[in-house]
Structure formats: C-alpha cells, structure tokens
Amino acid sequence: MEKAMDVEMEREGGGEEEEEETESVSDVLRDRFRLSTISIAEAEAKRNGMEISEPIVACISDLAFKYAEQLAKDLELFAQHASRKIVKMEDVVLSAHRNEHLAASLRSLCDDLKAKEPQSERKRKKTPRKENKATTSVVHIPDN
C-alpha cells in the first residue's frame, strides 16, 4: 500500500516539475516578447523624432502581449473548428475580419507568398470521390 502511495506521489511531483518548467518557458517567452516590443516602440519613436515615456512603452508592451495571446487562442479555435490541428494562413486572415485594412494586407501577403511558392511544392487538389471510384474501379477477369 505504501509503495502505491509513493508511486502516486512521484507522479504528482513529476507533474509539478513539468508545470513549473512550462511556466518558466512561458515566462521567458513573455519577457522576450516584451523586450522586443519595447525595442520596436523605442526605435519607432526615435525614427519619428518623438520621445516616449517608460510607462507608455510598458503599456504598449503589455497590450501587444495580451493581443498576441488572444490571437493565438483564436487561431487555435479556428483550426479546431475546421477539424484541423494545424493553423493555416486562412485562419490568420479570418482573425483579422474586424480590421479590413489588416485583413487586406494579410490577403495580399498570402497571395505574394503563394506566387513565390514553387509550383512543384503546391499540393494538388484532390479529385472528388466519385471520379476516383470511376477511374480506379477494378475489373475482374474470370479464369478459364
């Protein structure tokens, strides 16, 4: 009985370690994202000959991070709704449906990326199943 409890405690302990590691990775990613956002905001302010206060930079950074988190959740839901495990460009364009300028920019980017994609790497569209059945039907020839 004690052995079973020890095993259960080890399982729980392992889960806590994984959870702490996941939180630590998330914290590092969040911090790097915020540092990048701060760097971009400061560079843009400097490029436009403006000064930007630290509280404003921190606010912009927090807003951008929260937006990115929500966007990631939305993209995941769009892919799940389409019964996919992979987020596609169409999901990203759909996420911008409330901002027509952004949606248009994303559509343009998508078109540009498709145009640059080599023809051989593009996936062929599947033919409808009725056509597949018609072309792949098997003819049995009886043995004499």
Side-chain angles (χ1 to χ4, degrees):
M1 185 69 156
E2 286 180 28
K3 206 171 199 178
M5 291 179 79
D6 289 343
V7 170
E8 185 63 33
M9 289 175 77
E10 283 179 23
R11 281 189 209 151
E12 289 175 6
E16 288 176 12
E17 287 177 13
E18 285 181 23
E19 190 175 305
E20 287 176 11
E21 186 176 315
T22 301
E23 286 179 21
S24 141
V25 169
S26 295
D27 289 346
V28 169
L29 289 173
R30 183 193 66 233
D31 292 344
R32 287 181 180 173
F33 182 91
R34 287 184 173 154
L35 285 172
S36 296
T37 306
I38 290 168
S39 175
I40 292 168
E42 289 174 344
E44 285 298 308
K46 184 177 180 181
R47 187 172 69 97
N48 291 305
M50 301 172 68
E51 289 185 29
I52 189 166
S53 66
E54 285 189 35
I56 298 300
V57 171
C59 182
I60 291 170
S61 175
D62 286 340
L63 285 172
F65 184 75
K66 288 176 183 175
Y67 178 78
E69 278 186 317
Q70 188 60 51
L71 177 62
K73 290 174 187 174
D74 289 346
L75 293 173
E76 184 178 12
L77 288 173
F78 293 155
Q80 283 177 356
H81 182 71
S83 300
R84 289 184 273 109
K85 291 183 179 182
I86 297 173
V87 173
K88 292 187 174 185
M89 187 66 178
E90 63 194 50
D91 300 321
V92 178
V93 173
L94 181 62
S95 71
H97 73 280
R98 289 189 182 117
N99 184 337
E100 188 53 44
H101 179 71
L102 178 59
S105 295
L106 287 171
R107 281 188 211 100
S108 176
L109 175 65
C110 183
D111 293 342
D112 291 347
L113 291 174
K114 284 182 183 177
K116 290 179 183 178
E117 186 177 287
Q119 187 70 22
S120 61
E121 289 184 20
R122 291 187 190 172
K123 292 185 178 179
R124 285 191 243 162
K125 289 186 179 181
K126 294 182 180 179
T127 56
R129 289 187 176 185
K130 289 180 183 176
E131 289 178 25
N132 282 344
K133 287 181 182 177
T135 58
T136 60
S137 61
V138 178
V139 177
H140 293 285
I141 302 173
D143 291 336
N144 289 341

